[in-house]
Amino acid sequence: MEKERVIFLTNDDSYRSKGFATAIEIARQFGKVIAVAPDSPQSGMSQAITIYNPLYLRKVREEEGVTVYSLNGTPVDCVKIAFDHLLRDEKIDLAISGINHGSNAAISVLYSGTMGAAIESSFYNIPSVGLSLTDHDLDADFEGAVKYGTQIIEAVLADKELPRTLCLNVNIPNIPCEEIKGIRVSRQTRGYWREEFYQRTDPHGRDYFWLTGAFANAEPQAEDTDEWALSNGYVSVVPIQVDLTAYDQLAQLKKIL
Amino acid sequence: MEKERVIFLTNDDSYRSKGFATAIEIARQFGKVIAVAPDSPQSGMSQAITIYNPLYLRKVREEEGVTVYSLNGTPVDCVKIAFDHLLRDEKIDLAISGINHGSNAAISVLYSGTMGAAIESSFYNIPSVGLSLTDHDLDADFEGAVKYGTQIIEAVLADKELPRTLCLNVNIPNIPCEEIKGIRVSRQTRGYWREEFYQRTDPHGRDYFWLTGAFANAEPQAEDTDEWALSNGYVSVVPIQVDLTAYDQLAQLKKIL
């Protein structure tokens, strides 16, 4: 008999979020689920690691086929303690990060704790899928995310051609499931966030700022991008790599340095 | 008369670090210095942004040609509040992040708060230079960093061919300045960090973990990499881009999805 699969799960909204509970239901269709997730919301934590504080690992859920731990760290800390400590002797078949409450398309992949964890998982030669729904509501409707997330994970597990360092950034549009037109394999949209700082005075008379931003799409017409897919009713899938070298600049830099 | 240059400065070790004070001395050679730096150490904070907390900006130093603000946020928060609020009406000629106490070569570019801030600065069409010395000592010797940092910044400011979104990851080897052989324009070394978790019991009887990692270089012989440059006595310079799309995987993914 074939050995049961082991699916690792994490996220950035904490183990208490609806998106995480939904991801457990997706993951358990594919095998035994072991999860390590942050004990508090870690949105926007990117690839951050905890250097200055000790980490506490706590088992918070255990039932047939599902074990969940919480950690007082970042999403990447969760991945590291899973693969370098807790699951050191396990063979993990797949890592899922999410389901995130909010989009991680375009440049948001860089700021996202969900994608930080998915990227980190792939560093352990474990194919990883980051799942995000473009809706920040705590009680968001994950029906489309479940349907397409399941389909994408099935395809990844069945495929033999893609590299084991595979990492997918999957975003699901916030529209009724039956209106989603399908999946578009896409590239990361060019463009950046610009902030409007919300500025107020606290009860002690001190001025404070709060980040509120908007994404400025530099190529809204480009049909091969993830933002285009999402705003046209498709699920976007972007394969991720982490060599940040700007190869096209090497020659000019060698001239001047 | 030519308008005086404005140099923006930030880091991740906080405005109190020796590396930051050294960067101010480098930067003021080139023009007026305006700095926003974290009020506490933010190493390993990557591209993280603060979503759940208000941010307080405080002026901590003002003298002829140098103004320093501190912020209770991440390095990227410092950049955002600088370019989307504080310096909104200024034309900034260059951003410097550092000098970091510790290497940011290879995959460390992803975890680094120093490089997070340098990358974020480049999103504002400001050429940016992240400077790191491969020495964690609080009282590290920055002589080589000053010499080569100055030389690289001079070259960047003089160049007209490189794109304005230029972002350089500069690492300086921890050897006496006179032993440094020169500058090598390099690519990001392949390889990942693996953690050995330091595991102890706290005074309350609870087990805790602490990250302690080592970088596993996947290509130690590759002479075009930043790690090779550093371990052979050179300053490494890697130009950075942020499109994480794995273009070589698009075709296979389109087949299976």
Side-chain angles (χ1 to χ4, degrees), chain A residues 55-56 80 111 120 123 159 194-195 202 209 239 241 244 246 252, chain B residues 55-56 80 111 120 123 159 194-195 202 209 239 241 244 246 252:
Chain A
L55 298 173
Y56 293 88
K80 284 180 174 287
Y111 306 101
E120 187 71 28
F123 293 176
D159 180 82
R194 287 295 178 259
E195 310 301 326
D202 75 12
F209 300 89
Q241 63 83 35
L244 304 192
Q252 176 63 13
Chain B
L55 299 172
Y56 292 88
K80 284 179 173 289
Y111 305 102
E120 187 70 27
F123 293 175
D159 180 82
R194 288 295 179 258
E195 310 301 326
D202 75 13
F209 299 89
Q241 62 84 36
L244 304 192
Q252 176 63 13

PDB file of all heavy atoms in Angstrom, chain A residues 55-56 80 111 120 123 159 194-195 202 209 239 241 244 246 252, chain B residues 55-56 80 111 120 123 159 194-195 202 209 239 241 244 246 252:
ATOM      1  N   LEU A  55      11.510  31.373  20.945  1.00  0.00           N
ATOM      2  CA  LEU A  55      10.266  30.927  20.308  1.00  0.00           C
ATOM      3  C   LEU A  55       9.644  29.798  21.130  1.00  0.00           C
ATOM      4  O   LEU A  55      10.349  28.861  21.540  1.00  0.00           O
ATOM      5  CB  LEU A  55      10.567  30.426  18.890  1.00  0.00           C
ATOM      6  CG  LEU A  55      11.148  31.472  17.939  1.00  0.00           C
ATOM      7  CD1 LEU A  55      11.567  30.820  16.620  1.00  0.00           C
ATOM      8  CD2 LEU A  55      10.139  32.597  17.679  1.00  0.00           C
ATOM      9  N   TYR A  56       8.350  29.880  21.336  1.00  0.00           N
ATOM     10  CA  TYR A  56       7.615  28.861  22.083  1.00  0.00           C
ATOM     11  C   TYR A  56       6.658  28.144  21.142  1.00  0.00           C
ATOM     12  O   TYR A  56       5.863  28.781  20.460  1.00  0.00           O
ATOM     13  CB  TYR A  56       6.838  29.505  23.239  1.00  0.00           C
ATOM     14  CG  TYR A  56       7.730  30.075  24.318  1.00  0.00           C
ATOM     15  CD1 TYR A  56       8.206  31.375  24.240  1.00  0.00           C
ATOM     16  CD2 TYR A  56       8.103  29.288  25.405  1.00  0.00           C
ATOM     17  CE1 TYR A  56       9.032  31.892  25.232  1.00  0.00           C
ATOM     18  CE2 TYR A  56       8.924  29.804  26.406  1.00  0.00           C
ATOM     19  CZ  TYR A  56       9.389  31.104  26.304  1.00  0.00           C
ATOM     20  OH  TYR A  56      10.209  31.614  27.282  1.00  0.00           O
ATOM     21  N   LYS A  80      10.720  27.105   9.479  1.00  0.00           N
ATOM     22  CA  LYS A  80      12.045  26.667   9.903  1.00  0.00           C
ATOM     23  C   LYS A  80      11.950  25.685  11.075  1.00  0.00           C
ATOM     24  O   LYS A  80      12.632  24.665  11.100  1.00  0.00           O
ATOM     25  CB  LYS A  80      12.902  27.875  10.291  1.00  0.00           C
ATOM     26  CG  LYS A  80      13.435  28.657   9.086  1.00  0.00           C
ATOM     27  CD  LYS A  80      14.269  29.842   9.531  1.00  0.00           C
ATOM     28  CE  LYS A  80      14.926  30.553   8.359  1.00  0.00           C
ATOM     29  NZ  LYS A  80      16.050  29.815   7.764  1.00  0.00           N
ATOM     30  N   TYR A 111       5.986  41.451   0.277  1.00  0.00           N
ATOM     31  CA  TYR A 111       5.625  41.873   1.633  1.00  0.00           C
ATOM     32  C   TYR A 111       4.869  40.783   2.390  1.00  0.00           C
ATOM     33  O   TYR A 111       4.719  40.844   3.604  1.00  0.00           O
ATOM     34  CB  TYR A 111       4.732  43.114   1.588  1.00  0.00           C
ATOM     35  CG  TYR A 111       5.296  44.267   0.812  1.00  0.00           C
ATOM     36  CD1 TYR A 111       4.882  44.553  -0.472  1.00  0.00           C
ATOM     37  CD2 TYR A 111       6.269  45.088   1.376  1.00  0.00           C
ATOM     38  CE1 TYR A 111       5.400  45.616  -1.187  1.00  0.00           C
ATOM     39  CE2 TYR A 111       6.806  46.152   0.675  1.00  0.00           C
ATOM     40  CZ  TYR A 111       6.361  46.404  -0.608  1.00  0.00           C
ATOM     41  OH  TYR A 111       6.878  47.460  -1.322  1.00  0.00           O
ATOM     42  N   GLU A 120       9.899  29.987   1.716  1.00  0.00           N
ATOM     43  CA  GLU A 120      10.817  29.303   2.633  1.00  0.00           C
ATOM     44  C   GLU A 120      10.631  27.784   2.556  1.00  0.00           C
ATOM     45  O   GLU A 120      11.600  27.032   2.573  1.00  0.00           O
ATOM     46  CB  GLU A 120      10.586  29.793   4.067  1.00  0.00           C
ATOM     47  CG  GLU A 120      11.583  29.271   5.095  1.00  0.00           C
ATOM     48  CD  GLU A 120      12.975  29.871   4.938  1.00  0.00           C
ATOM     49  OE1 GLU A 120      13.114  31.002   4.440  1.00  0.00           O
ATOM     50  OE2 GLU A 120      13.946  29.175   5.297  1.00  0.00           O
ATOM     51  N   PHE A 123      12.503  26.076  -0.101  1.00  0.00           N
ATOM     52  CA  PHE A 123      13.956  25.961   0.134  1.00  0.00           C
ATOM     53  C   PHE A 123      14.317  24.590   0.698  1.00  0.00           C
ATOM     54  O   PHE A 123      15.489  24.225   0.736  1.00  0.00           O
ATOM     55  CB  PHE A 123      14.432  27.032   1.116  1.00  0.00           C
ATOM     56  CG  PHE A 123      14.358  28.446   0.599  1.00  0.00           C
ATOM     57  CD1 PHE A 123      14.676  29.509   1.427  1.00  0.00           C
ATOM     58  CD2 PHE A 123      13.988  28.727  -0.704  1.00  0.00           C
ATOM     59  CE1 PHE A 123      14.620  30.826   0.972  1.00  0.00           C
ATOM     60  CE2 PHE A 123      13.921  30.040  -1.165  1.00  0.00           C
ATOM     61  CZ  PHE A 123      14.240  31.087  -0.320  1.00  0.00           C
ATOM     62  N   ASP A 159       2.159  16.021 -11.017  1.00  0.00           N
ATOM     63  CA  ASP A 159       3.160  16.391 -12.030  1.00  0.00           C
ATOM     64  C   ASP A 159       4.551  15.882 -11.684  1.00  0.00           C
ATOM     65  O   ASP A 159       4.955  15.892 -10.519  1.00  0.00           O
ATOM     66  CB  ASP A 159       3.206  17.916 -12.181  1.00  0.00           C
ATOM     67  CG  ASP A 159       4.218  18.339 -13.223  1.00  0.00           C
ATOM     68  OD1 ASP A 159       3.882  18.303 -14.409  1.00  0.00           O
ATOM     69  OD2 ASP A 159       5.362  18.672 -12.841  1.00  0.00           O
ATOM     70  N   ARG A 194       1.861  52.708  -3.178  1.00  0.00           N
ATOM     71  CA  ARG A 194       2.110  54.056  -2.686  1.00  0.00           C
ATOM     72  C   ARG A 194       1.222  54.274  -1.467  1.00  0.00           C
ATOM     73  O   ARG A 194       0.077  53.830  -1.452  1.00  0.00           O
ATOM     74  CB  ARG A 194       1.799  55.107  -3.764  1.00  0.00           C
ATOM     75  CG  ARG A 194       2.839  55.135  -4.875  1.00  0.00           C
ATOM     76  CD  ARG A 194       4.210  55.578  -4.369  1.00  0.00           C
ATOM     77  NE  ARG A 194       5.232  55.556  -5.413  1.00  0.00           N
ATOM     78  CZ  ARG A 194       6.136  54.592  -5.563  1.00  0.00           C
ATOM     79  NH1 ARG A 194       6.136  53.552  -4.747  1.00  0.00           N
ATOM     80  NH2 ARG A 194       7.042  54.670  -6.519  1.00  0.00           N
ATOM     81  N   GLU A 195       1.780  54.920  -0.456  1.00  0.00           N
ATOM     82  CA  GLU A 195       1.077  55.024   0.828  1.00  0.00           C
ATOM     83  C   GLU A 195       0.454  56.394   1.012  1.00  0.00           C
ATOM     84  O   GLU A 195       1.044  57.415   0.684  1.00  0.00           O
ATOM     85  CB  GLU A 195       2.050  54.762   1.992  1.00  0.00           C
ATOM     86  CG  GLU A 195       2.886  53.503   1.860  1.00  0.00           C
ATOM     87  CD  GLU A 195       2.059  52.243   1.746  1.00  0.00           C
ATOM     88  OE1 GLU A 195       0.979  52.174   2.357  1.00  0.00           O
ATOM     89  OE2 GLU A 195       2.494  51.314   1.032  1.00  0.00           O
ATOM     90  N   ASP A 202      -2.834  60.728  19.308  1.00  0.00           N
ATOM     91  CA  ASP A 202      -3.277  59.700  20.262  1.00  0.00           C
ATOM     92  C   ASP A 202      -3.792  60.360  21.551  1.00  0.00           C
ATOM     93  O   ASP A 202      -3.706  61.581  21.718  1.00  0.00           O
ATOM     94  CB  ASP A 202      -2.158  58.677  20.503  1.00  0.00           C
ATOM     95  CG  ASP A 202      -1.040  59.195  21.389  1.00  0.00           C
ATOM     96  OD1 ASP A 202      -1.197  60.258  22.009  1.00  0.00           O
ATOM     97  OD2 ASP A 202       0.004  58.522  21.462  1.00  0.00           O
ATOM     98  N   PHE A 209       1.148  57.855  12.833  1.00  0.00           N
ATOM     99  CA  PHE A 209       0.867  57.552  11.431  1.00  0.00           C
ATOM    100  C   PHE A 209       0.427  56.101  11.336  1.00  0.00           C
ATOM    101  O   PHE A 209       0.813  55.267  12.153  1.00  0.00           O
ATOM    102  CB  PHE A 209       2.131  57.731  10.576  1.00  0.00           C
ATOM    103  CG  PHE A 209       2.682  59.120  10.608  1.00  0.00           C
ATOM    104  CD1 PHE A 209       3.598  59.501  11.574  1.00  0.00           C
ATOM    105  CD2 PHE A 209       2.283  60.045   9.664  1.00  0.00           C
ATOM    106  CE1 PHE A 209       4.105  60.782  11.604  1.00  0.00           C
ATOM    107  CE2 PHE A 209       2.786  61.332   9.676  1.00  0.00           C
ATOM    108  CZ  PHE A 209       3.695  61.700  10.647  1.00  0.00           C
ATOM    109  N   PRO A 239       4.517  31.095 -10.859  1.00  0.00           N
ATOM    110  CA  PRO A 239       5.615  30.311 -10.274  1.00  0.00           C
ATOM    111  C   PRO A 239       6.709  31.262  -9.793  1.00  0.00           C
ATOM    112  O   PRO A 239       7.011  32.240 -10.464  1.00  0.00           O
ATOM    113  CB  PRO A 239       6.101  29.455 -11.440  1.00  0.00           C
ATOM    114  CG  PRO A 239       5.751  30.242 -12.664  1.00  0.00           C
ATOM    115  CD  PRO A 239       4.515  31.045 -12.332  1.00  0.00           C
ATOM    116  N   GLN A 241      10.582  32.240  -8.183  1.00  0.00           N
ATOM    117  CA  GLN A 241      12.003  31.944  -8.018  1.00  0.00           C
ATOM    118  C   GLN A 241      12.624  33.061  -7.190  1.00  0.00           C
ATOM    119  O   GLN A 241      12.028  34.132  -7.078  1.00  0.00           O
ATOM    120  CB  GLN A 241      12.689  31.782  -9.374  1.00  0.00           C
ATOM    121  CG  GLN A 241      12.679  33.026 -10.244  1.00  0.00           C
ATOM    122  CD  GLN A 241      13.784  34.001  -9.925  1.00  0.00           C
ATOM    123  OE1 GLN A 241      14.880  33.597  -9.566  1.00  0.00           O
ATOM    124  NE2 GLN A 241      13.475  35.294 -10.018  1.00  0.00           N
ATOM    125  N   LEU A 244      17.486  37.205  -7.138  1.00  0.00           N
ATOM    126  CA  LEU A 244      17.161  38.618  -7.361  1.00  0.00           C
ATOM    127  C   LEU A 244      18.188  39.330  -8.236  1.00  0.00           C
ATOM    128  O   LEU A 244      18.067  40.531  -8.486  1.00  0.00           O
ATOM    129  CB  LEU A 244      17.047  39.363  -6.021  1.00  0.00           C
ATOM    130  CG  LEU A 244      16.077  38.840  -4.970  1.00  0.00           C
ATOM    131  CD1 LEU A 244      15.897  39.867  -3.853  1.00  0.00           C
ATOM    132  CD2 LEU A 244      14.716  38.500  -5.556  1.00  0.00           C
ATOM    133  N   ALA A 246      19.909  41.172 -11.003  1.00  0.00           N
ATOM    134  CA  ALA A 246      19.480  41.853 -12.238  1.00  0.00           C
ATOM    135  C   ALA A 246      20.562  41.599 -13.287  1.00  0.00           C
ATOM    136  O   ALA A 246      21.468  42.423 -13.477  1.00  0.00           O
ATOM    137  CB  ALA A 246      19.290  43.335 -11.975  1.00  0.00           C
ATOM    138  N   GLN A 252      27.043  46.711 -17.513  1.00  0.00           N
ATOM    139  CA  GLN A 252      27.255  48.142 -17.281  1.00  0.00           C
ATOM    140  C   GLN A 252      27.952  48.376 -15.935  1.00  0.00           C
ATOM    141  O   GLN A 252      28.847  49.222 -15.820  1.00  0.00           O
ATOM    142  CB  GLN A 252      25.918  48.890 -17.357  1.00  0.00           C
ATOM    143  CG  GLN A 252      25.989  50.382 -17.048  1.00  0.00           C
ATOM    144  CD  GLN A 252      26.843  51.175 -18.035  1.00  0.00           C
ATOM    145  OE1 GLN A 252      27.210  50.677 -19.098  1.00  0.00           O
ATOM    146  NE2 GLN A 252      27.199  52.398 -17.652  1.00  0.00           N
TER     147      GLN A 252
ATOM    148  N   LEU B  55       2.544  54.352  13.954  1.00  0.00           N
ATOM    149  CA  LEU B  55       3.974  54.656  13.853  1.00  0.00           C
ATOM    150  C   LEU B  55       4.250  56.058  14.383  1.00  0.00           C
ATOM    151  O   LEU B  55       3.545  57.008  14.038  1.00  0.00           O
ATOM    152  CB  LEU B  55       4.421  54.560  12.389  1.00  0.00           C
ATOM    153  CG  LEU B  55       4.260  53.190  11.737  1.00  0.00           C
ATOM    154  CD1 LEU B  55       4.562  53.272  10.244  1.00  0.00           C
ATOM    155  CD2 LEU B  55       5.166  52.160  12.407  1.00  0.00           C
ATOM    156  N   TYR B  56       5.279  56.157  15.197  1.00  0.00           N
ATOM    157  CA  TYR B  56       5.667  57.450  15.768  1.00  0.00           C
ATOM    158  C   TYR B  56       7.020  57.864  15.199  1.00  0.00           C
ATOM    159  O   TYR B  56       7.979  57.087  15.234  1.00  0.00           O
ATOM    160  CB  TYR B  56       5.749  57.360  17.295  1.00  0.00           C
ATOM    161  CG  TYR B  56       4.405  57.145  17.956  1.00  0.00           C
ATOM    162  CD1 TYR B  56       3.906  55.868  18.154  1.00  0.00           C
ATOM    163  CD2 TYR B  56       3.641  58.237  18.361  1.00  0.00           C
ATOM    164  CE1 TYR B  56       2.666  55.677  18.747  1.00  0.00           C
ATOM    165  CE2 TYR B  56       2.403  58.050  18.962  1.00  0.00           C
ATOM    166  CZ  TYR B  56       1.913  56.769  19.157  1.00  0.00           C
ATOM    167  OH  TYR B  56       0.696  56.581  19.745  1.00  0.00           O
ATOM    168  N   LYS B  80       8.998  54.157   3.525  1.00  0.00           N
ATOM    169  CA  LYS B  80       7.671  54.608   3.083  1.00  0.00           C
ATOM    170  C   LYS B  80       7.311  55.952   3.709  1.00  0.00           C
ATOM    171  O   LYS B  80       6.801  56.843   3.042  1.00  0.00           O
ATOM    172  CB  LYS B  80       6.616  53.548   3.431  1.00  0.00           C
ATOM    173  CG  LYS B  80       6.650  52.335   2.500  1.00  0.00           C
ATOM    174  CD  LYS B  80       5.604  51.321   2.909  1.00  0.00           C
ATOM    175  CE  LYS B  80       5.479  50.171   1.932  1.00  0.00           C
ATOM    176  NZ  LYS B  80       4.864  50.535   0.648  1.00  0.00           N
ATOM    177  N   TYR B 111      16.101  37.980   3.589  1.00  0.00           N
ATOM    178  CA  TYR B 111      15.742  38.124   5.009  1.00  0.00           C
ATOM    179  C   TYR B 111      16.152  39.480   5.567  1.00  0.00           C
ATOM    180  O   TYR B 111      15.717  39.884   6.639  1.00  0.00           O
ATOM    181  CB  TYR B 111      16.432  37.044   5.847  1.00  0.00           C
ATOM    182  CG  TYR B 111      16.181  35.639   5.385  1.00  0.00           C
ATOM    183  CD1 TYR B 111      17.122  34.926   4.654  1.00  0.00           C
ATOM    184  CD2 TYR B 111      14.975  35.008   5.682  1.00  0.00           C
ATOM    185  CE1 TYR B 111      16.886  33.640   4.223  1.00  0.00           C
ATOM    186  CE2 TYR B 111      14.726  33.714   5.253  1.00  0.00           C
ATOM    187  CZ  TYR B 111      15.689  33.037   4.529  1.00  0.00           C
ATOM    188  OH  TYR B 111      15.445  31.754   4.105  1.00  0.00           O
ATOM    189  N   GLU B 120      13.073  48.728  -1.271  1.00  0.00           N
ATOM    190  CA  GLU B 120      11.900  49.615  -1.215  1.00  0.00           C
ATOM    191  C   GLU B 120      12.245  51.008  -1.755  1.00  0.00           C
ATOM    192  O   GLU B 120      11.453  51.615  -2.472  1.00  0.00           O
ATOM    193  CB  GLU B 120      11.399  49.716   0.226  1.00  0.00           C
ATOM    194  CG  GLU B 120      10.094  50.475   0.386  1.00  0.00           C
ATOM    195  CD  GLU B 120       8.881  49.728  -0.171  1.00  0.00           C
ATOM    196  OE1 GLU B 120       8.899  48.479  -0.223  1.00  0.00           O
ATOM    197  OE2 GLU B 120       7.916  50.398  -0.581  1.00  0.00           O
ATOM    198  N   PHE B 123      12.000  51.436  -5.380  1.00  0.00           N
ATOM    199  CA  PHE B 123      10.626  51.494  -5.912  1.00  0.00           C
ATOM    200  C   PHE B 123      10.173  52.940  -6.137  1.00  0.00           C
ATOM    201  O   PHE B 123       9.178  53.186  -6.801  1.00  0.00           O
ATOM    202  CB  PHE B 123       9.633  50.831  -4.954  1.00  0.00           C
ATOM    203  CG  PHE B 123       9.808  49.337  -4.818  1.00  0.00           C
ATOM    204  CD1 PHE B 123       9.039  48.619  -3.911  1.00  0.00           C
ATOM    205  CD2 PHE B 123      10.725  48.640  -5.576  1.00  0.00           C
ATOM    206  CE1 PHE B 123       9.179  47.254  -3.776  1.00  0.00           C
ATOM    207  CE2 PHE B 123      10.885  47.264  -5.445  1.00  0.00           C
ATOM    208  CZ  PHE B 123      10.099  46.574  -4.532  1.00  0.00           C
ATOM    209  N   ASP B 159      27.135  57.727 -13.032  1.00  0.00           N
ATOM    210  CA  ASP B 159      26.693  56.929 -14.179  1.00  0.00           C
ATOM    211  C   ASP B 159      25.349  57.393 -14.736  1.00  0.00           C
ATOM    212  O   ASP B 159      24.457  57.771 -13.981  1.00  0.00           O
ATOM    213  CB  ASP B 159      26.570  55.458 -13.769  1.00  0.00           C
ATOM    214  CG  ASP B 159      26.122  54.604 -14.927  1.00  0.00           C
ATOM    215  OD1 ASP B 159      26.971  54.220 -15.742  1.00  0.00           O
ATOM    216  OD2 ASP B 159      24.899  54.339 -15.038  1.00  0.00           O
ATOM    217  N   ARG B 194      20.271  26.678   6.877  1.00  0.00           N
ATOM    218  CA  ARG B 194      19.694  25.586   7.654  1.00  0.00           C
ATOM    219  C   ARG B 194      19.873  25.914   9.124  1.00  0.00           C
ATOM    220  O   ARG B 194      20.928  26.431   9.504  1.00  0.00           O
ATOM    221  CB  ARG B 194      20.372  24.244   7.309  1.00  0.00           C
ATOM    222  CG  ARG B 194      19.981  23.719   5.932  1.00  0.00           C
ATOM    223  CD  ARG B 194      18.489  23.380   5.855  1.00  0.00           C
ATOM    224  NE  ARG B 194      18.068  22.905   4.539  1.00  0.00           N
ATOM    225  CZ  ARG B 194      17.422  23.663   3.650  1.00  0.00           C
ATOM    226  NH1 ARG B 194      17.135  24.915   3.924  1.00  0.00           N
ATOM    227  NH2 ARG B 194      17.045  23.163   2.495  1.00  0.00           N
ATOM    228  N   GLU B 195      18.843  25.648   9.910  1.00  0.00           N
ATOM    229  CA  GLU B 195      18.849  26.075  11.306  1.00  0.00           C
ATOM    230  C   GLU B 195      19.198  24.920  12.251  1.00  0.00           C
ATOM    231  O   GLU B 195      18.734  23.809  12.089  1.00  0.00           O
ATOM    232  CB  GLU B 195      17.481  26.640  11.706  1.00  0.00           C
ATOM    233  CG  GLU B 195      16.930  27.678  10.755  1.00  0.00           C
ATOM    234  CD  GLU B 195      17.834  28.892  10.575  1.00  0.00           C
ATOM    235  OE1 GLU B 195      18.505  29.278  11.550  1.00  0.00           O
ATOM    236  OE2 GLU B 195      17.879  29.447   9.465  1.00  0.00           O
ATOM    237  N   ASP B 202      13.118  27.954  30.091  1.00  0.00           N
ATOM    238  CA  ASP B 202      13.145  29.287  30.708  1.00  0.00           C
ATOM    239  C   ASP B 202      12.929  29.185  32.221  1.00  0.00           C
ATOM    240  O   ASP B 202      12.647  28.101  32.741  1.00  0.00           O
ATOM    241  CB  ASP B 202      12.149  30.227  30.006  1.00  0.00           C
ATOM    242  CG  ASP B 202      10.696  29.956  30.368  1.00  0.00           C
ATOM    243  OD1 ASP B 202      10.425  29.223  31.341  1.00  0.00           O
ATOM    244  OD2 ASP B 202       9.813  30.496  29.671  1.00  0.00           O
ATOM    245  N   PHE B 209      12.920  27.852  21.988  1.00  0.00           N
ATOM    246  CA  PHE B 209      13.856  27.647  20.879  1.00  0.00           C
ATOM    247  C   PHE B 209      14.433  28.994  20.472  1.00  0.00           C
ATOM    248  O   PHE B 209      13.790  30.028  20.620  1.00  0.00           O
ATOM    249  CB  PHE B 209      13.126  27.058  19.668  1.00  0.00           C
ATOM    250  CG  PHE B 209      12.505  25.720  19.937  1.00  0.00           C
ATOM    251  CD1 PHE B 209      11.210  25.629  20.436  1.00  0.00           C
ATOM    252  CD2 PHE B 209      13.210  24.559  19.701  1.00  0.00           C
ATOM    253  CE1 PHE B 209      10.633  24.402  20.682  1.00  0.00           C
ATOM    254  CE2 PHE B 209      12.645  23.328  19.944  1.00  0.00           C
ATOM    255  CZ  PHE B 209      11.354  23.241  20.440  1.00  0.00           C
ATOM    256  N   PRO B 239      23.580  43.624  -8.484  1.00  0.00           N
ATOM    257  CA  PRO B 239      22.410  44.449  -8.812  1.00  0.00           C
ATOM    258  C   PRO B 239      21.142  43.637  -8.582  1.00  0.00           C
ATOM    259  O   PRO B 239      21.091  42.442  -8.894  1.00  0.00           O
ATOM    260  CB  PRO B 239      22.603  44.757 -10.296  1.00  0.00           C
ATOM    261  CG  PRO B 239      23.417  43.611 -10.819  1.00  0.00           C
ATOM    262  CD  PRO B 239      24.275  43.125  -9.686  1.00  0.00           C
ATOM    263  N   GLN B 241      16.885  42.954  -8.731  1.00  0.00           N
ATOM    264  CA  GLN B 241      15.580  43.172  -9.371  1.00  0.00           C
ATOM    265  C   GLN B 241      14.538  42.366  -8.575  1.00  0.00           C
ATOM    266  O   GLN B 241      14.916  41.493  -7.808  1.00  0.00           O
ATOM    267  CB  GLN B 241      15.618  42.746 -10.843  1.00  0.00           C
ATOM    268  CG  GLN B 241      15.912  41.270 -11.079  1.00  0.00           C
ATOM    269  CD  GLN B 241      14.695  40.392 -10.977  1.00  0.00           C
ATOM    270  OE1 GLN B 241      13.602  40.781 -11.363  1.00  0.00           O
ATOM    271  NE2 GLN B 241      14.869  39.177 -10.432  1.00  0.00           N
ATOM    272  N   LEU B 244       9.845  38.090  -9.277  1.00  0.00           N
ATOM    273  CA  LEU B 244      10.112  36.730  -8.789  1.00  0.00           C
ATOM    274  C   LEU B 244       9.552  35.654  -9.721  1.00  0.00           C
ATOM    275  O   LEU B 244       9.652  34.469  -9.424  1.00  0.00           O
ATOM    276  CB  LEU B 244       9.503  36.543  -7.385  1.00  0.00           C
ATOM    277  CG  LEU B 244       9.930  37.520  -6.285  1.00  0.00           C
ATOM    278  CD1 LEU B 244       9.453  37.003  -4.925  1.00  0.00           C
ATOM    279  CD2 LEU B 244      11.438  37.716  -6.236  1.00  0.00           C
ATOM    280  N   ALA B 246       9.149  32.778 -12.077  1.00  0.00           N
ATOM    281  CA  ALA B 246      10.029  31.729 -12.618  1.00  0.00           C
ATOM    282  C   ALA B 246       9.599  31.477 -14.062  1.00  0.00           C
ATOM    283  O   ALA B 246       8.820  30.560 -14.346  1.00  0.00           O
ATOM    284  CB  ALA B 246       9.930  30.462 -11.772  1.00  0.00           C
ATOM    285  N   GLN B 252       5.389  24.586 -18.618  1.00  0.00           N
ATOM    286  CA  GLN B 252       4.948  23.330 -18.018  1.00  0.00           C
ATOM    287  C   GLN B 252       3.690  23.542 -17.170  1.00  0.00           C
ATOM    288  O   GLN B 252       2.764  22.722 -17.187  1.00  0.00           O
ATOM    289  CB  GLN B 252       6.086  22.719 -17.172  1.00  0.00           C
ATOM    290  CG  GLN B 252       5.735  21.443 -16.414  1.00  0.00           C
ATOM    291  CD  GLN B 252       5.363  20.271 -17.322  1.00  0.00           C
ATOM    292  OE1 GLN B 252       5.587  20.302 -18.531  1.00  0.00           O
ATOM    293  NE2 GLN B 252       4.761  19.244 -16.730  1.00  0.00           N
TER     294      GLN B 252
END
